[in-house]
Amino acid sequence: PSTSLPFLIGEGSTLEGASLDQSYGPYDYAKAFYQLGKVHYDKADLFQSEENFKKSLRFFTEGEEPFSKLKILGFLIRICSERLENLEAEKWITKAEEVVLDLKERLGSLSAEYYFNFGLVKNYGGAFDEAREAFLVSYQKSKQENEPELLAKCLLALATNYYQTKDYETAINYLQQLKQLLKIINKFYLAGAMEFYLGKIYFEMDRFDDALAAFDSATANLLDKKCW
């Protein structure tokens, strides 16, 4: 069945006022609430975004989807950080660390996706060196496993990591690699994020004209993003 707005379908049990149709499985609802969370996040409606991500997380917990849970936890961490709710952000970081630890114990071999998510969790917690090591492993493994979309996210993550530690030249190097890769795969949100970080880096380097051009390009890419 369609999962675009399942909380409007039928009658059944409820989750905080949302009517749920029991013919849908937990994964259907988890995916739908996740999509709604992303839509509200893109609209900067952090309250509604947080509510939907929390609902999605509850269904994914039941469905045992660790990588999906880590994506949701990442959004919740960012939302709390944007609202300067540090204690709440730390709570979600701790939860993400628990998911990563459980994932490591259950996996037979550690994939590029595992190392990428491990790096994200460490980055959220400010452990930038550990995060960078994980991103570099994921970077190598994603090339070996022929995962171009994951490779693109690794490049952005590495650039972000180096930006946060003020190694601007290395950050630019990874963003230039990402720019070449995005000529092959169409990911508007990655292109927008890439230009946004280029703008931030150029600004820190006092390259103000380059920064302005990058921010303009980021805005154009993000406005073209088709997320709803």
Side-chain angles (χ1 to χ4, degrees):
S2 171
T3 60
S4 57
L5 294 174
F7 57 90
L8 294 178
I9 304 173
E11 299 179 356
S13 62
T14 61
L15 179 64
E16 298 178 6
S19 182
L20 305 181
D21 185 338
Q22 293 300 299
S23 66
Y24 289 84
Y27 184 83
D28 295 325
Y29 282 107
K31 183 178 178 182
F33 283 122
Y34 172 73
Q35 291 171 339
L36 282 171
K38 287 181 65 178
V39 168
H40 286 292
Y41 185 83
D42 288 332
K43 291 181 174 181
D45 185 346
L46 299 185
F47 176 77
Q48 287 298 327
S49 178
E50 180 185 36
E51 288 301 303
N52 281 294
F53 282 132
K54 285 180 177 179
K55 291 175 183 178
S56 179
L57 187 62
R58 287 163 66 175
F59 283 108
F60 271 126
T61 300
E62 182 179 345
E64 291 298 315
E65 293 282 343
F67 289 122
S68 297
K69 285 191 284 186
L70 286 170
K71 287 182 182 179
I72 298 164
L73 288 166
F75 273 108
L76 288 169
I77 292 165
R78 290 200 292 275
I79 288 169
C80 293
S81 297
E82 288 175 33
R83 296 195 306 212
L84 303 180
E85 298 172 351
N86 295 330
L87 290 177
E88 191 72 6
E90 288 175 11
K91 181 187 81 172
W92 294 120
I93 289 171
T94 299
K95 179 64 177 176
E97 289 173 342
E98 292 171 359
V99 174
V100 167
L101 181 60
D102 179 65
L103 190 59
K104 183 176 181 180
E105 292 174 350
R106 291 195 291 112
L107 287 175
S109 60
L110 301 181
S111 65
E113 188 172 10
Y114 166 81
Y115 282 105
F116 174 73
N117 282 284
F118 179 81
L120 287 180
V121 172
K122 289 299 179 182
N123 220 54
Y124 291 140
F128 298 122
D129 290 342
E130 284 186 80
R132 184 180 305 144
E133 291 177 9
F135 289 142
L136 287 169
V137 173
S138 182
Y139 170 73
Q140 294 297 333
K141 281 182 169 286
S142 59
K143 289 195 290 186
Q144 295 168 3
E145 296 167 10
N146 193 26
E147 294 280 356
E149 291 188 18
L150 182 56
L151 176 59
K153 289 191 286 187
C154 281
L155 290 168
L156 181 60
L158 280 164
T160 303
N161 181 280
Y162 279 104
Y163 165 78
Q164 290 167 322
T165 54
K166 302 186 184 303
D167 185 345
Y168 300 134
E169 293 295 343
T170 304
I172 289 173
N173 178 269
Y174 280 111
L175 290 174
Q176 293 297 340
Q177 290 185 54
L178 176 58
K179 187 173 185 178
Q180 294 303 312
L181 182 57
L182 290 178
K183 292 179 180 179
I184 302 172
I185 60 173
N186 288 322
K187 290 292 177 182
F188 290 111
Y189 75 96
L190 282 176
M194 176 192 71
E195 295 290 352
F196 176 70
Y197 270 103
L198 272 175
K200 293 177 73 172
I201 292 167
Y202 289 146
F203 183 84
E204 293 293 337
M205 299 172 73
D206 295 335
R207 295 170 56 178
F208 301 120
D209 288 342
D210 290 333
L212 183 59
F215 286 137
D216 284 343
S217 182
T219 300
N221 275 295
L222 292 172
L223 286 174
D224 198 35
K225 177 182 175 184
K226 299 173 178 59
C227 56
W228 59 76

